[in-house]
Amino acid sequence: MAVTAVSGVEVRRPVPRLRRLEDERWLALALLVPTAVLLGLFIAYPFFEGVMLSLSSSRVGIPGEFVGLKNFSKIWDDSIFRTAVWNTFWYTGVTTVFKLALGLWLAMLLNRHFKGKALVRAFILLPFIIPTVLSTFAWKWMFDPTFSVINWTLFHLGIITTRINWLGDPDLAMTSIIIVNIWRGVPFFAISLLAGLQTISPELNEAAAIDGARPWNRFWYVTWPLLLPVTMVVMLFSVIQTFADFQLVYVMTGGGPANATQLFATYAYQIGIGTGLLSEGAAISLAMFPFLFIIVVVQLLYIRRVETR
Amino acid sequence: MVKTKRRSVLKLAGGTAAVSLGGMAGILATGRTPAYAQQKTVHWLKWVDFVPATDTLFRKEMMPEAEKALGVKMNLETVNGNDLQPRITAAIQSGAGPDLIMSFNSYTHLYANSVVDMSALAEEVGTREGGLFPYAKAICSDGKMFMGMPWAVIGGMVAYRKSWFDEIGVDKFPDTWETYREAGKKLKAKGHPLGQTLGHTFGDAPGFTYPYLWSWGGKEVEADGKTVIINSKATLESVKFMTGFWKDAHDEGGLAWDDTNNNRAFLSQTIAATLNGASIYIESLRKPEQYQTDKGQPLNKDILHAPLPKGPAGQFGFHLLQSNMLMKYSKNQDAAKEFLKWLHTEANYRKFFESQKGFATPCTAKWESDPLWNVDPVMTPYKVAARLGQAIGNAGPPNAKAQEVLSKYIITDMYAKAVQGMPAEESVKWAESELKKVYEV
């Protein structure tokens, strides 16, 4: 009887092909395939195409031929490109410092308990949530050379007597786009750093306080080192995004006046689309890559060092 | 109950034409779908017209008429002028998209490899309508083919406030740069400067800087299209004059303006004159209650138009020339050609022309003497826009290289750099070195 029962529920052995997945190596491979295909299709392939494009003499509608590094040597000799390189570094550097400082400050404030905390946190995110083009148009009107509400306010407060040419002066135009980028980026820093702050056990700070550490020392020796890995990751994202920024500058100044706010992405668009020189546009875009690559590698190495400390 | 047989359904589905050929078997034998399923669709992509009445006319009246007359289905799509180029690029690179696409200025030369020759129609219309203006020919043809069918010119004229010019004792619009500067100086002193953009914007900036350069005798290249001659005494003089002219007479915020800023500044009465299409005037006509002068009169009664002043080498204009390109990838080339032919018949083109009320100037001579130009004298100056226009890349052809110079705003930035404080000689040298990188490679 027992024998019959056992034979009745005999487990069907998996077919050999599926049995292979019992091996962890094959299973891992199978699980990785969808991701690999997606990455390959949407990142590796376009990247490869971009590289090939930058090494050709392709224009819109003309496939062109392989020209080696000619496009890169041409853009290197291009004063507007050099201006764009300098502008991009300046824009990224200044905005990142301010976004980090203000974001951290905001995160520390939001980490305290106060009435309406949830509401304030939600509002803080607004600049980050509103579509960039929309908010940038609002800023553009605020910086308008003729109708600037900022100028109007400063004038009526008696702070200025003549209007400030926000987007018409080269330095002020750069300052303006930096201000808008900071405004837009601070919430991302603040919320991400706030998440990091909340993972730090309050007991550590309390212990330090009992030992007589002042607030600044508590921040510098307890909070900051624990927050550093999160900070580095947030900075990494921000640097990549800011370095390749397009919409904001395109809407505010179009790269002007006289290329004072021209960045990598805006110049690549101007050449690739405006002039139809696809290969040169691709070369300008790709020229970002080594700079970004170095920045990313340095940051990732630093993150690893911090984490293994 | 009547039973429907499979065979009878198939026969019905084949339709009369198919039945005559032997039912479904006949259709299959020809390898083609029945004619009624083959109605072609012509997809036309054009800008959102600054005169909304024209787009309404196209959608509500002319497209249905075209469908009826030509037996095709029309798909009219309108996009912002700035978005045409990304759309063209994407369509050409992917080999699919609208059959007809509106082109601005030298886009025709940029995309020459991807369009169908329109010589036959251009010549037919030109001959019928008293000749195509050289400006349209230079932009739409490379001498071998017509890359686009010339459509219209959106003229750029100076819109100015008559009463404010009267107040400073100028009863006729200045016709030289010197007298314009003098007038501008007085107007700026009264709080109404001249308004002009020197920013990175496709219309009004090059629309001013190119004719300004030409009027002083400055040229980008020799007629060979290769030898850069921008660094000349004439160009230098023009840059030097511009720095003083800017400080004396202009609204200095203009360095940051796009194509819409001067409209707003003019309509809100902060500037006395600006180079523009007729859109400021047309807007003031549409809303006479909203736009009033400081004396409570409708603003549109105080606006006049005039061409840009002349310089030592003459008087020029650089206007937006629109054409329609028939794309090589299109599978409906014949139908699209038929549509364009239909659109350019006198009766149909007139509907478009009249809806524009002078905002668009046709590219052929016949229309210059049309009674429409006498309807509103304020619009009359625009009638010569197509005749007086000159193409970029002067004295060479308005080819892809000339378009590259335009897209990089090199001529505009030469002036912008100088008014920002760079010595005139240096800004001209900068422009020369940039032009050489484009033309001499």
Side-chain angles (χ1 to χ4, degrees):
Chain A
M1 182 70 187
V3 173
T4 322
V6 169
S7 66
V9 292
E10 190 181 358
V11 181
R12 282 184 63 191
R13 287 180 172 276
V15 290
R17 201 179 294 161
L18 285 178
R19 208 189 298 160
R20 215 170 242 185
L21 291 179
E22 286 173 10
D23 183 338
E24 265 189 20
R25 280 173 305 175
W26 285 107
L27 181 67
L29 194 69
L31 292 175
L32 271 176
V33 164
T35 313
V37 168
L38 281 177
L39 287 178
L41 214 60
F42 296 111
I43 295 181
Y45 176 69
F47 180 74
F48 176 74
E49 278 290 310
V51 172
M52 293 315 289
L53 200 58
S54 71
L55 300 175
S56 74
S57 60
S58 170
R59 305 173 73 104
V60 176
I62 305 169
E65 54 196 30
F66 183 78
V67 292
L69 296 173
K70 200 177 158 196
N71 290 319
F72 291 94
S73 83
K74 188 179 171 196
I75 59 169
W76 194 247
D77 196 31
D78 179 352
S79 69
I80 304 175
F81 174 74
R82 289 200 295 267
T83 307
V85 174
W86 164 249
N87 287 346
T88 310
F89 271 97
W90 178 250
Y91 177 67
T92 310
V94 174
T95 53
T96 307
V97 168
F98 276 93
K99 280 189 279 192
L100 175 62
L102 293 174
L104 185 60
W105 181 44
L106 206 55
M108 303 284 280
L109 290 178
L110 290 176
N111 200 27
R112 297 181 174 195
H113 293 288
F114 56 90
K115 252 189 182 173
K117 192 167 69 174
L119 203 67
V120 172
R121 281 181 187 177
F123 272 115
I124 292 292
L125 272 176
L126 269 182
F128 195 61
I129 295 166
I130 302 169
T132 311
V133 173
L134 217 65
S135 57
T136 309
F137 262 111
W139 277 101
K140 191 182 177 182
W141 292 329
M142 288 202 277
F143 285 128
D144 189 286
T146 316
F147 309 105
S148 167
V149 68
I150 301 172
N151 282 354
W152 186 88
T153 312
L154 293 176
F155 182 81
H156 282 87
L157 288 173
I159 297 169
I160 56 169
T161 48
T162 55
R163 72 176 178 208
I164 302 170
N165 194 1
W166 288 105
L167 300 175
D169 177 86
D171 296 329
L172 284 174
M174 179 52 92
T175 309
S176 304
I177 61 167
I178 284 175
I179 290 172
V180 181
N181 184 283
I182 293 170
W183 171 83
R184 196 178 176 281
V186 162
F188 173 66
F189 272 76
I191 293 296
S192 308
L193 294 179
L194 177 63
L197 281 175
Q198 289 180 339
T199 62
I200 299 171
S201 166
E203 288 164 11
L204 295 171
N205 262 309
E206 283 162 16
I210 290 164
D211 287 344
R214 289 169 169 276
W216 170 251
N217 286 335
R218 288 207 300 273
F219 169 77
W220 190 243
Y221 293 108
V222 179
T223 311
W224 179 244
L226 291 167
L227 198 61
L228 205 50
V230 178
T231 310
M232 293 309 286
V233 172
V234 172
M235 271 180 65
L236 187 71
F237 278 126
S238 172
V239 164
I240 292 170
Q241 277 183 350
T242 314
F243 211 81
D245 203 357
F246 173 78
Q247 309 173 61
L248 198 155
V249 178
Y250 185 71
V251 172
M252 290 272 283
T253 62
N259 297 309
T261 56
Q262 197 74 268
L263 303 183
F264 269 108
T266 51
Y267 194 45
Y269 177 84
Q270 196 171 304
I271 296 296
I273 304 294
T275 316
L277 298 169
L278 286 180
S279 55
E280 218 176 293
I284 294 168
S285 283
L286 268 180
M288 264 190 274
F289 183 70
F291 297 121
L292 272 181
F293 188 73
I294 293 168
I295 295 170
V296 169
V297 166
V298 168
Q299 283 194 315
L300 286 175
L301 286 175
Y302 190 72
I303 289 171
R304 186 183 285 184
R305 218 188 72 190
V306 169
E307 280 177 342
T308 53
R309 203 155 48 189
Chain B
M1 190 179 161
V2 182
K3 258 189 152 183
T4 311
K5 287 184 181 170
R6 187 178 61 95
R7 189 169 297 272
S8 64
V9 170
L10 285 179
K11 271 188 182 168
L12 270 174
T16 324
V19 170
S20 65
L21 284 170
M24 186 59 92
I27 298 170
L28 292 174
T30 60
R32 296 179 61 180
T33 48
Y36 63 79
Q38 273 194 320
Q39 192 186 34
K40 288 178 175 167
T41 300
V42 175
H43 183 176
W44 181 25
L45 177 70
K46 65 182 275 296
W47 79 332
V48 176
D49 209 298
F50 273 34
V51 182
T54 299
D55 281 344
T56 311
L57 169 80
F58 277 136
R59 281 187 203 286
K60 298 222 164 125
E61 195 180 312
M62 291 185 73
M63 292 304 115
E65 279 175 15
E67 289 183 347
K68 220 168 162 185
L70 304 170
V72 294
K73 199 169 159 22
M74 290 303 306
N75 175 10
L76 173 67
E77 187 187 355
T78 52
V79 292
N80 186 299
N82 273 323
D83 296 331
L84 279 173
Q85 266 200 304
R87 286 292 303 273
I88 299 170
T89 307
I92 292 175
Q93 288 304 107
S94 63
D99 305 292
L100 291 165
I101 306 184
M102 180 173 273
S103 155
F104 286 176
N105 293 331
S106 294
Y107 291 179
T108 40
H109 289 262
L110 275 188
Y111 309 122
N113 268 43
S114 310
V115 297
V116 174
D117 185 9
M118 298 301 296
S119 296
L121 182 59
E123 276 157 24
E124 184 193 316
V125 172
T127 313
R128 194 178 65 215
E129 297 182 353
L132 200 62
F133 287 122
Y135 182 40
K137 199 168 181 184
I139 284 185
C140 295
S141 165
D142 60 1
K144 293 176 210 136
M145 66 182 277
F146 268 78
M147 293 84 72
M149 177 62 205
W151 176 242
V153 167
I154 308 301
M157 296 281 160
V158 180
Y160 67 98
R161 289 289 298 273
K162 194 184 171 307
S163 63
W164 286 349
F165 274 74
D166 285 344
E167 276 173 25
I168 57 158
V170 180
D171 54 1
K172 191 172 157 282
F173 189 75
D175 62 351
T176 65
W177 291 114
E178 282 78 10
T179 50
Y180 192 33
R181 178 174 171 176
E182 280 311 307
K185 206 170 174 178
K186 288 178 191 161
L187 287 162
K188 190 170 181 176
K190 283 184 153 258
H192 315 305
L194 310 178
Q196 175 57 48
T197 172
L198 287 180
H200 280 194
T201 186
F202 77 98
D204 294 338
F208 175 80
T209 52
Y210 276 76
Y212 176 79
L213 170 73
W214 300 330
S215 73
W216 285 83
K219 287 173 181 167
E220 289 172 66
V221 277
E222 293 283 14
D224 63 7
K226 279 188 173 169
T227 319
V228 173
I229 50 168
I230 188 85
N231 194 353
S232 62
K233 196 164 168 276
T235 309
L236 193 61
E237 285 301 313
S238 79
V239 176
K240 280 182 181 165
F241 184 86
M242 175 66 100
T243 51
F245 185 23
W246 188 260
K247 209 167 265 174
D248 287 351
H250 280 91
D251 181 328
E252 290 171 52
L255 278 163
W257 283 1
D258 62 20
D259 280 8
T260 62
N261 282 85
N262 60 339
N263 290 42
R264 285 202 296 274
F266 194 101
L267 289 168
S268 60
Q269 310 194 59
T270 62
I271 54 171
T274 187
L275 178 79
N276 209 48
S279 51
I280 291 175
Y281 177 63
I282 290 173
E283 177 71 6
S284 71
L285 278 180
R286 276 177 57 195
K287 298 173 186 165
E289 294 84 21
Q290 185 178 337
Y291 301 115
Q292 304 227 327
T293 66
D294 33 358
K295 295 182 184 83
Q297 300 295 315
L299 185 62
N300 60 54
K301 302 273 183 236
D302 195 29
I303 299 175
L304 286 178
H305 293 117
L308 282 171
K310 57 183 166 229
Q315 189 172 25
F316 296 89
F318 169 45
H319 312 289
L320 180 72
L321 192 138
Q322 299 174 329
S323 59
N324 285 302
M325 300 185 293
L326 172 52
M327 308 311 289
K328 219 182 238 177
Y329 58 70
S330 162
K331 292 186 173 67
N332 298 317
Q333 289 182 11
D334 290 341
K337 244 184 205 172
E338 281 305 308
F339 168 67
L340 271 189
K341 207 171 169 181
W342 178 87
L343 202 55
H344 278 273
T345 54
E346 192 185 334
N348 289 326
Y349 192 83
R350 175 168 293 284
K351 286 182 191 167
F352 156 74
F353 175 59
E354 287 179 353
S355 75
Q356 290 274 296
K357 293 188 163 70
F359 185 71
T361 311
C363 300
T364 48
K366 175 187 179 300
W367 299 94
E368 206 180 288
S369 52
D370 196 272
L372 178 120
W373 296 114
N374 305 325
V375 173
D376 184 352
V378 180
M379 294 300 292
T380 309
Y382 283 92
K383 77 173 180 180
V384 293
R387 180 185 291 281
L388 294 185
Q390 178 158 292
I392 54 169
N394 187 39
N399 56 16
K401 287 183 185 290
Q403 181 64 33
E404 183 178 344
V405 173
L406 179 79
S407 297
K408 284 182 169 175
Y409 296 100
I410 297 173
I411 303 297
T412 299
D413 283 351
M414 175 176 77
Y415 293 110
K417 280 174 186 279
V419 302
Q420 281 172 0
M422 183 185 268
E425 289 80 3
E426 258 183 62
S427 75
V428 176
K429 264 190 199 155
W430 171 83
E432 184 188 27
S433 75
E434 290 302 319
L435 254 61
K436 280 186 171 173
K437 284 171 209 161
V438 176
Y439 285 114
E440 295 185 359
V441 288

